[in-house]
């Protein structure tokens, strides 16, 4: 058993990144977006113009790098992807 310095679960020093986010502003019609920091499937929130999207109804994020919208994002839209990286295996 490794030394956890009294922490159960994730210790503060385990990772330099706890939450990673990336913003996209498409210049045309677009449905697929690549998240540069990568993500763990199931730990991703997606916001389109400030409204949180619903997984499977509004978007799919299943490969750890690409997020696909079920409807298109148009020029002038703002898409924000937020990945939670709080747990290390």
């Amino acid at each position: 058993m490794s030394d956890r310095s009294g922490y159960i679960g994730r210790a503060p020093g385990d990772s330099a990144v706890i939450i990673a986010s990336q913003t996209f502003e498409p210049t045309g019609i677009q449905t697929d977006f690549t998240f540069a920091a990568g993500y763990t499937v199931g730990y991703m929130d997606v916001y389109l113009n400030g409204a949180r999207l619903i997984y499977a109804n509004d978007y799919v994020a299943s490969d750890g790098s690409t997020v696909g919208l079920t409807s298109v994002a148009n020029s002038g839209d703002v898409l924000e992807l937020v990945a939670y990286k709080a747990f290390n295996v």
Side-chain angles (χ1 to χ4, degrees), residues 25-31 33 72-77:
E25 296 182 29
T27 56
I29 296 173
Q30 189 173 351
T31 57
F33 300 86
V72 298
N74 294 300
S75 179
D77 285 340

Side-chain angles (χ1 to χ4, degrees), residues 7-27:
Y7 289 97
I8 297 173
R10 186 191 174 282
D14 284 352
S15 175
V17 177
I18 296 172
I19 296 175
S21 69
Q22 188 172 353
T23 302
F24 298 90
E25 296 182 29
T27 56

Side-chain angles (χ1 to χ4, degrees), residues 26-60:
T27 56
I29 296 173
Q30 189 173 351
T31 57
D32 292 330
F33 300 86
T34 301
F35 190 66
Y39 62 85
T40 301
V41 176
Y43 293 95
M44 167 74 70
D45 283 338
V46 178
Y47 299 87
L48 181 62
N49 298 324
R52 186 170 182 258
L53 302 182
I54 299 170
Y55 180 76
N57 290 346
D58 301 321
Y59 73 95
V60 176

